[in-house]
Amino acid sequence: DTEVTQTPKHLVMGMTNKKSLKCEQHMGHRAMYWYKQKAKKPPELMFVYSYEKLSINESVPSRFSPECPNSSLLNLHLHALQPEDSALYLCASSQVQGAETYEQYFGPGTRLTVT
Amino acid sequence: SQKIEQNSEALNIQEGKTATLTCNYTNYSPAYLQWYRQDPGRGPVFLLLIRENEKEKRKERLKVTFDTTLKQSLFHITASQPADSATYLCALVNFGNEKLTFGTGTRLTIIP
């Protein structure tokens, strides 16, 4: 199984709401990632988890809170977002972080709209 | 400042011809460079990886070259087909920095 799944596919939330994005992989990968992608732009790295520990935080605002409950799951908790946070949020995984074979497997993304 | 630029935002190629996409980088010392394909509304899909000490890599109709002197990678699709239409992203990992950084992307359209 070489699939990364993400739920929900679409999410509309108000600026005062709290919601969570979920990501799951069963490839035995020990590195997991969150990216943000705006329209017609490349994905931008937000967070990296390596062996369930936060390894990289790209100075992301605290209204985004990642969590890695186990090696297969990755969550992104959202609170008090702004309209400019509307984007496609992509989850990815790789065997380990920084390994020679560094290909990443991406999920289909969650399309987030903040109203 | 660091930049990864792909030469064309959009590229139209006649079916059956070779499509060549360019990726140029500035102020990076990449350990390796990767190419991904992304279809609308989907996540990127890995295609090829080339290391800094490799000149060329091939996979079926795909070929990637990597010139660290020119700071450039070329991505070729031979015998192109309409199904090859997508956005193609180069991405690199710097030595000593384990983050994957993507280029600006090229939207390729193969015209029947």
Side-chain angles (χ1 to χ4, degrees):
Chain A
D1 182 7
T2 57
E3 192 180 19
V4 175
T5 58
Q6 290 187 244
T7 55
K9 284 186 169 31
H10 301 276
L11 179 62
V12 180
M13 60 185 290
M15 290 189 283
T16 58
N17 292 159
K18 283 186 184 181
K19 297 284 185 184
S20 296
L21 309 184
K22 296 186 184 304
C23 173
E24 192 166 1
Q25 57 87 15
H26 294 288
M27 294 177 278
H29 289 173
R30 303 311 299 270
M32 296 186 77
Y33 312 81
W34 281 114
Y35 289 85
K36 173 181 177 180
Q37 187 174 26
K38 302 282 273 185
K40 298 191 186 301
K41 297 290 186 185
E44 292 181 351
L45 183 66
M46 299 174 71
F47 303 103
V48 181
Y49 272 84
S50 178
Y51 291 90
E52 295 98 71
K53 293 195 186 317
L54 185 63
S55 169
I56 295 177
N57 176 343
E58 288 287 278
S59 304
V60 178
S62 60
R63 58 185 184 269
F64 295 90
S65 175
E67 179 196 19
C68 190
N70 60 55
S71 60
S72 300
L73 291 173
L74 187 66
N75 298 321
L76 186 63
H77 303 296
L78 314 172
H79 173 56
L81 294 193
Q82 304 296 309
E84 59 264 28
D85 296 322
S86 298
L88 182 68
Y89 287 84
L90 294 162
C91 173
S93 70
S94 65
Q95 282 189 322
V96 291
Q97 183 186 2
E100 191 170 283
T101 305
Y102 198 73
E103 64 185 277
Q104 294 189 15
Y105 291 80
F106 284 82
T110 293
R111 175 75 60 190
L112 174 67
T113 303
V114 182
T115 60
Chain B
S1 63
Q2 293 182 315
K3 283 191 290 190
I4 308 172
E5 294 177 309
Q6 295 185 237
N7 61 327
S8 304
E9 190 175 321
L11 185 64
N12 295 331
I13 299 291
Q14 206 69 37
E15 182 178 3
K17 302 290 187 187
T18 296
T20 299
L21 284 64
T22 304
C23 176
N24 295 293
Y25 58 90
T26 307
N27 292 326
Y28 280 96
S29 297
Y32 35 86
L33 190 146
Q34 304 179 13
W35 285 86
Y36 287 79
R37 168 187 173 139
Q38 187 172 23
D39 291 286
R42 309 288 297 272
V45 174
F46 172 78
L47 297 173
L48 280 168
L49 175 153
I50 186 165
R51 296 179 177 81
E52 52 90 27
N53 60 352
E54 297 175 319
K55 296 293 185 192
E56 182 178 299
K57 268 284 186 65
R58 291 176 185 261
K59 180 182 173 184
E60 298 172 352
R61 293 185 296 112
L62 309 180
K63 184 177 86 170
V64 172
T65 62
F66 193 12
D67 188 327
T68 54
T69 302
L70 291 179
K71 299 185 185 300
Q72 181 181 81
S73 174
L74 299 179
F75 177 79
H76 306 272
I77 306 175
T78 58
S80 57
Q81 305 165 0
D84 296 326
S85 299
T87 294
Y88 290 85
L89 297 156
C90 66
L92 57 83
V93 175
N94 236 4
F95 275 112
N97 177 334
E98 295 168 341
K99 301 185 300 185
L100 191 65
T101 305
F102 285 89
T104 48
T106 295
R107 190 173 67 254
L108 176 66
T109 302
I110 306 300
I111 303 165

